[in-house]
Amino acid sequence: MALRKFFVGGNWKMNGNKESLGELISTLNTASLHDETEVVCAAPSIYLDFARSNLDPRISVAAQNSYKVAKGAFTGEISPAMIRDCGADWVLLGHSERRHVFGESDELIGQKVAHALENDLGVIACIGEKLDEREAGTTEEVVYAQTQVIAENVKDWGNVVLAYEPVWAIGTGKTATPEQAQEVHEKLRAWLRANVSDDVADSVRIIYGGSVTGANCRELASQGDVDGFLVGGASLKPEFVDIINARA
Ligand code: PGA
């Protein structure tokens, strides 16, 4: 099996200010971080420059969203070119809050993925089922359909990380069990094997998100197909260091 570097993303969402994020950044900069883990912090767009200027270079910076074209009359949007100009290397796309709070469609998310990759940003592409979909037994159907649209817009999977985030687990304190996470990750890898290639299935990091904490990260990280995490609430706290070091 190809070696997949453990990947931990912190999604700060719309939280913090220069003072509190500055304190968090100092904690991360001075912490002992497992060097076999790739670490990315997704800052609010207005703080991308601040995050990039202050975070240690071993920690990458991501935007939390980007638009599908480079520039123009799109008030309030930011482009991959601008994100790169601020020194950030990654973008989160398809996050459940973008899908379900802001009504972004699969089609739009696919277009954003294609444009971000064309502009050399790494993409953390998020997918995941809602509670009613899990209860109706349609989890696979939902995540395969979301992954299909992403796959149609990816030429080179080398710059893509797939984040499985069950919506019912995000910000709820209700983490998927290690078995539930592993089951979906394993199926997603099999989907990539059947629909993309063996190479991509073996090499793409599939990370888990949804109420990951310092207390539950090690057991989740011990699952064979869990290649890291996307962390919301706990990424704003010192315990984020423990999550980064979950495999250390
Ligand atoms: P949470 O958020 O860790 O607060 O559940 C995860 C996410 O939205 O990426």
Side-chain angles (χ1 to χ4, degrees):
M1 197 210 278
L3 193 61
R4 295 184 294 267
K5 189 168 188 179
F6 202 67
F7 184 105
V8 176
N11 178 7
W12 297 347
K13 308 194 181 185
M14 196 179 74
N15 290 300
N17 53 28
K18 285 188 185 175
E19 189 185 350
S20 65
L21 295 176
E23 280 167 24
L24 176 66
I25 287 168
S26 301
T27 302
L28 295 175
N29 287 350
T30 51
S32 154
L33 307 180
H34 188 41
D35 55 13
E36 293 304 313
T37 302
E38 186 168 356
V39 185
V40 177
C41 289
S45 57
I46 198 160
Y47 295 134
L48 281 173
D49 221 342
F50 174 79
R52 183 59 290 163
S53 309
N54 290 288
L55 271 169
D56 188 279
R58 69 197 162 141
I59 299 171
S60 296
V61 174
Q64 297 173 9
N65 191 21
S66 61
Y67 199 50
K68 62 179 177 176
V69 294
K71 61 186 170 67
F74 302 103
T75 302
E77 293 293 318
I78 61 168
S79 71
M82 293 167 178
I83 294 166
R84 287 215 65 94
D85 197 32
C86 289
D89 297 316
W90 290 88
V91 64
L92 298 182
L93 289 171
H95 188 276
S96 80
E97 286 141 26
R98 298 306 318 174
R99 291 177 185 272
H100 305 303
V101 181
F102 297 98
E104 290 191 10
S105 65
D106 272 330
E107 190 194 3
L108 177 60
I109 292 161
Q111 291 167 330
K112 289 179 171 196
V113 167
H115 182 66
L117 291 171
E118 279 159 17
N119 285 274
D120 291 327
L121 278 183
V123 170
I124 302 167
C126 308
I127 58 171
E129 82 287 1
K130 294 189 282 185
L131 182 61
D132 58 328
E133 293 165 335
R134 175 161 280 263
E135 286 173 350
T138 58
T139 296
E140 284 164 54
E141 202 180 299
V142 169
V143 298
Y144 292 164
Q146 292 169 337
T147 307
Q148 169 77 43
V149 180
I150 290 161
E152 285 163 6
N153 288 283
V154 174
K155 292 195 190 104
D156 176 5
W157 284 84
N159 284 329
V160 180
V161 168
L162 199 56
Y164 169 60
E165 300 201 290
V167 179
W168 47 271
I170 296 179
T172 57
K174 214 177 155 207
T175 321
T177 64
E179 295 72 26
Q180 283 174 320
Q182 169 60 22
E183 186 189 3
V184 178
H185 285 222
E186 197 176 336
K187 286 180 175 160
L188 286 167
R189 206 175 298 288
W191 187 94
L192 291 171
R193 198 171 300 287
N195 295 281
V196 185
S197 71
D198 280 335
D199 263 8
V200 167
D202 288 334
S203 60
V204 166
R205 272 86 57 92
I206 306 177
I207 63 175
Y208 168 79
S211 299
V212 176
T213 64
N216 61 30
C217 63
R218 285 186 171 268
E219 212 186 337
L220 284 159
S222 70
Q223 303 298 308
D225 289 290
V226 175
D227 304 316
F229 301 116
L230 185 57
V231 186
S235 74
L236 293 160
K237 302 178 190 161
E239 75 183 280
F240 188 53
V241 172
D242 301 326
I243 300 173
I244 292 169
N245 292 333
R247 279 251 181 104

